Amino acid sequence: MNKFDKKVKEMAKEIQTPASYDKKVDGLLQSLTEQEELPHQKSGGRKRVLQFAFCLVCVFLILSFFTIGTQANFFSSFKETIIDFLTGDSDEDPANMGIESDQNYAESKPDLIIALSEKVIDSHSIYLLVEITAPNHIRFTPDISFDYFCFCWGTNYNVDQLISGVTSCELLEVSEDMPNRATYVVSLVTDEELEEEKDITVCFQDLTAGPNSDHPALLVGGVWSMTFPIYRTVTDNIAIEGDPSMTFSYINTTAEVKSIELTPLGMVVVSDISQYPSDMLGVSDTTISMRLRMIDGSEPVLVSHDPDEAVLTRSGSFYFTEIDGKTCQQDTLEFTNAINIDKVLGIYIEDLYIPVRE
């Protein structure tokens, strides 16, 4: 785990012609040149050979430009793939929801190419669109992933700089023409606030079939990493500063909202729970129920005391911290579907209702 590449090579944003094409063209031209120099070859034959070589080069160039165009179209349709994957609703325009993406491109070792093509980032979450090209004998399936992956601050792997939180690496699609090439969504939801312009590195180890099964099969061994700066691409958010009037029921006491941040991808709520005995926090159910009130009258549930109730969150976490001498609980939620926060009228925190617009 300590042998990560310390230097990540950045590629141009355009897709480069695969090395195999260059080798085939060079070999063919070399072969044709040798034929041209044969002493008994007629001049007409040489001319036809050169014309044939020129045509082949043109064909390879056309294929190369076609590949670049296809990849460019894929980049431009990112919002229709990753956002649809997150929202499940292609009718909503992500740009109107304040969700944009940032393009980047990096390459790893030759035995496994990992290209970072898109990033969607807000204050507490990161979604990466990652294209992986494996050796030709590998055929990607949903059970193929990495045995280990993580995010850490800095330009290389550092166990002391790991970013805690919920991580996932999910297969989005497999290339129809190249089954050894697949696109994954790699995500992080963290309690930490992501500082802009700070470098972050995503690390992968050992491409494996069934990494969580009883019999995992190593496909490609190695460690890969890519570094990129944090720039938030989710521009819409609702920020609420709490006040003493924002109190709600908390176990057998009351708690006070200190702050709320709502984005299309999730919500972070910080509550002052210092009224409750701190020595009981580790043994009590400190779940805080939350739901939204939408313009259409619906009230999607984010957190519930009923474990069987359907909720809009796919993951979440909470932790206790000290803020200004007060014991606080921070709840960080990741939505199953991205939402349009312009359609949110208010937020329920237990029995407290907080309007966000008139």
Side-chain angles (χ1 to χ4, degrees):
M1 294 301 297
N2 295 321
K3 295 183 178 179
F4 280 89
D5 293 337
K6 295 184 178 179
K7 188 175 182 181
V8 179
K9 298 181 180 179
E10 293 187 354
M11 295 177 63
K13 292 185 178 179
E14 292 82 10
I15 295 298
Q16 303 298 320
T17 305
S20 59
Y21 287 149
D22 296 333
K23 291 180 180 179
K24 291 179 181 178
V25 174
D26 291 343
L28 180 60
L29 291 178
Q30 182 178 358
S31 173
L32 292 173
T33 302
E34 292 173 355
Q35 294 180 22
E36 178 186 357
E37 294 174 354
L38 290 177
H40 300 292
Q41 187 172 4
K42 297 181 180 179
S43 59
R46 286 198 300 270
K47 183 176 180 180
R48 286 193 296 272
V49 168
L50 290 176
Q51 290 175 341
F52 177 68
F54 177 76
C55 291
L56 281 177
V57 172
C58 291
V59 169
F60 279 112
L61 288 175
I62 292 172
L63 287 174
S64 175
F65 284 120
F66 176 77
T67 303
I68 293 172
T70 302
Q71 190 71 10
N73 291 336
F74 177 68
F75 288 163
S76 65
S77 65
F78 172 73
K79 298 183 182 66
E80 286 72 43
T81 55
I82 178 62
I83 299 302
D84 284 355
F85 175 77
L86 296 174
T87 65
D89 181 10
S90 59
D91 296 332
E92 197 71 73
D93 184 0
N96 293 336
M97 299 164 63
I99 303 176
E100 300 294 339
S101 67
D102 184 26
Q103 293 186 358
N104 193 31
Y105 205 84
E107 186 180 16
S108 64
K109 303 173 184 177
D111 52 352
L112 192 69
I113 299 174
I114 302 181
L116 172 59
S117 58
E118 299 283 352
K119 305 186 293 286
V120 175
I121 303 173
D122 70 3
S123 58
H124 288 269
S125 57
I126 298 174
Y127 295 90
L128 306 179
L129 194 66
V130 176
E131 185 181 84
I132 302 172
T133 304
N136 290 332
H137 68 278
I138 292 177
R139 300 294 183 266
F140 278 102
T141 58
D143 68 328
I144 293 179
S145 185
F146 291 94
D147 184 59
Y148 176 77
F149 53 91
C150 66
F151 290 79
C152 59
W153 292 116
T155 56
N156 52 36
Y157 175 79
N158 185 340
V159 68
D160 295 325
Q161 295 294 319
L162 286 177
I163 303 175
S164 62
V166 179
T167 58
S168 66
C169 182
E170 302 178 17
L171 177 67
L172 180 62
E173 62 181 1
V174 178
S175 171
E176 294 183 1
D177 299 329
M178 298 179 63
N180 64 318
R181 176 178 293 174
T183 302
Y184 283 76
V185 179
V186 184
S187 64
L188 166 72
V189 179
T190 177
D191 294 325
E192 299 182 44
E193 183 170 358
L194 300 172
E195 300 179 32
E196 289 203 274
E197 300 185 9
K198 194 171 182 180
D199 285 334
I200 192 171
T201 296
V202 57
C203 310
F204 306 92
Q205 180 182 24
D206 294 347
L207 187 68
T208 305
N212 300 317
S213 67
D214 294 333
H215 303 286
L218 178 64
L219 301 177
V220 182
V223 175
W224 301 267
S225 63
M226 292 181 292
T227 300
F228 56 92
I230 292 293
Y231 291 106
R232 296 179 188 174
T233 64
V234 180
T235 56
D236 280 7
N237 75 311
I238 295 174
I240 300 172
E241 290 297 326
D243 60 57
S245 68
M246 295 183 183
T247 59
F248 59 90
S249 299
Y250 184 83
I251 313 180
N252 298 320
T253 62
T254 59
E256 178 186 322
V257 173
K258 289 189 68 69
S259 65
I260 298 175
E261 183 182 10
L262 175 65
T263 77
L265 303 182
M267 186 169 74
V268 178
V269 179
V270 179
S271 307
D272 178 355
I273 59 170
S274 55
Q275 296 291 332
Y276 190 75
S278 59
D279 59 347
M280 295 295 294
L281 291 175
V283 296
S284 303
D285 180 6
T286 58
T287 301
I288 300 174
S289 66
M290 305 179 194
R291 68 184 191 276
L292 303 176
R293 184 180 180 186
M294 309 300 289
I295 290 177
D296 62 5
S298 63
E299 295 186 355
V301 178
L302 305 181
V303 182
S304 174
H305 293 291
D306 181 0
D308 296 326
E309 186 172 15
V311 296
L312 185 64
T313 53
R314 57 182 281 170
S315 67
S317 65
F318 71 89
Y319 77 102
F320 306 112
T321 185
E322 293 288 327
I323 300 177
D324 298 330
K326 302 289 186 179
T327 303
C328 295
Q329 176 175 324
Q330 175 173 312
D331 291 80
T332 304
L333 309 177
E334 177 192 18
F335 296 153
T336 304
N337 300 326
I339 65 170
N340 188 337
I341 61 176
D342 290 336
K343 297 180 180 180
V344 177
L345 290 178
I347 303 169
Y348 288 96
I349 309 292
E350 290 287 349
D351 53 353
L352 170 68
Y353 177 70
I354 304 172
V356 299
R357 57 175 48 86
E358 297 180 359

